[in-house]
Amino acid sequence: MRVVFVHGACVRDGSWWWHRTAELLQAQGVRSVAPALPSCGEAGLPPGAGGPGLSEDVAAVRQALQDNEEPTVVVAHSYGGIVTAEAAAGVRSVRHLVMISSYLPEAGQSLSEFGDSSPAPFLDVDPHAGTFGVRPELLVDTFLQDCDPDIQTQAADHLTRQSVHVTGQPVGAAAWQHVPSTYLVCAQDRGTPPHLQREFARRADSVVELDAGHHPFLSRPAEVRDLLLSL
């Protein structure tokens, strides 16, 4: 088995965000990879109104999935669930989807359909530049309140702006309708409220709850590792 991690919105360097869980998996002989998302400026082109969007993110993750025929578990976090819905569709090596505080869109749905009409208070949207990002002063209290201080400090250096049009672009497929899926509800999440997660989770085949914030793979990596090894 191998694991492909798909990170969430407004961050860069997926390998850092997943490193605590990835290291524990590696110790058990399970390899993992965290593809870069172009809409987060990770592919050489800056994010913005004319920059990379959802289709480029889907292509990057799909390429990572097709690079290897080994049985694969895809672990998607937050916005990563939008990307994974299309990227994992029809890829024979994908055996299971794990969605962490994530979205499970139907084909034709976009990220914006899961929220209300106004941006979340922890986001800064720049319509002129066509980007959005997490407000640094709200990062820890919203997303990392249960993480170690060193992780909280390092996380601030891994934020980035992202092309805002990813929020309105619909996905072309829904892999979770055809691949076994598990939803991990983060019961202490202040970014995506647990009651919303439980609504999203109704589309998954199985649901697990963890008493953790938005990034359990950083705050509770052993529990996330154990979940993945149990699949």
Side-chain angles (χ1 to χ4, degrees), residues 33-231:
V33 63
L37 299 185
S39 73
C40 294
E42 294 189 282
L45 295 175
L54 177 61
S55 61
E56 287 83 1
D57 291 347
V58 167
V61 172
R62 193 171 183 83
Q63 182 62 57
L65 295 175
Q66 293 177 329
D67 278 346
N68 193 307
E69 295 184 358
E70 188 175 2
T72 300
V73 174
V74 185
V75 183
H77 179 234
S78 196
Y79 162 74
I82 300 291
V83 179
T84 297
E86 184 170 345
V91 180
R92 294 181 59 186
S93 62
V94 176
R95 305 300 172 81
H96 206 101
L97 306 176
V98 177
M99 322 301 284
I100 300 178
S101 189
S102 187
Y103 306 94
L104 284 78
E106 299 272 7
Q109 277 192 307
S110 66
L111 178 61
S112 62
E113 295 180 47
F114 289 92
D116 55 31
S117 58
S118 58
F122 50 78
L123 293 177
D124 170 56
V125 180
D126 184 339
H128 178 72
T131 64
F132 72 117
V134 173
R135 296 182 183 274
E137 69 275 15
L138 299 179
L139 172 65
V140 171
D141 286 346
T142 305
F143 297 110
L144 300 162
Q145 79 277 9
D146 60 336
C147 290
D148 298 337
D150 61 328
I151 291 292
Q152 295 174 346
T153 299
Q154 293 173 46
D157 293 329
H158 291 81
L159 294 179
T160 190
R161 306 291 295 183
Q162 184 170 4
S163 299
V164 74
H165 54 259
V166 300
T167 63
Q169 294 174 321
V171 300
W176 54 268
Q177 294 179 334
H178 308 286
V179 180
S181 59
T182 298
Y183 195 104
L184 176 56
V185 174
C186 301
Q188 298 301 320
D189 194 338
R190 299 173 182 173
T192 306
H195 73 275
L196 291 180
Q197 295 179 57
R198 295 182 186 111
E199 286 295 318
F200 304 156
R202 291 184 177 186
R203 292 178 171 178
D205 295 313
S206 61
V207 181
V208 177
E209 287 214 18
L210 189 60
D211 191 32
H214 192 66
H215 295 86
F217 38 88
L218 288 171
S219 63
R220 307 284 290 274
E223 286 90 338
V224 177
R225 173 205 60 194
D226 291 347
L227 171 62
L228 299 180
L229 292 178
S230 72
L231 299 176

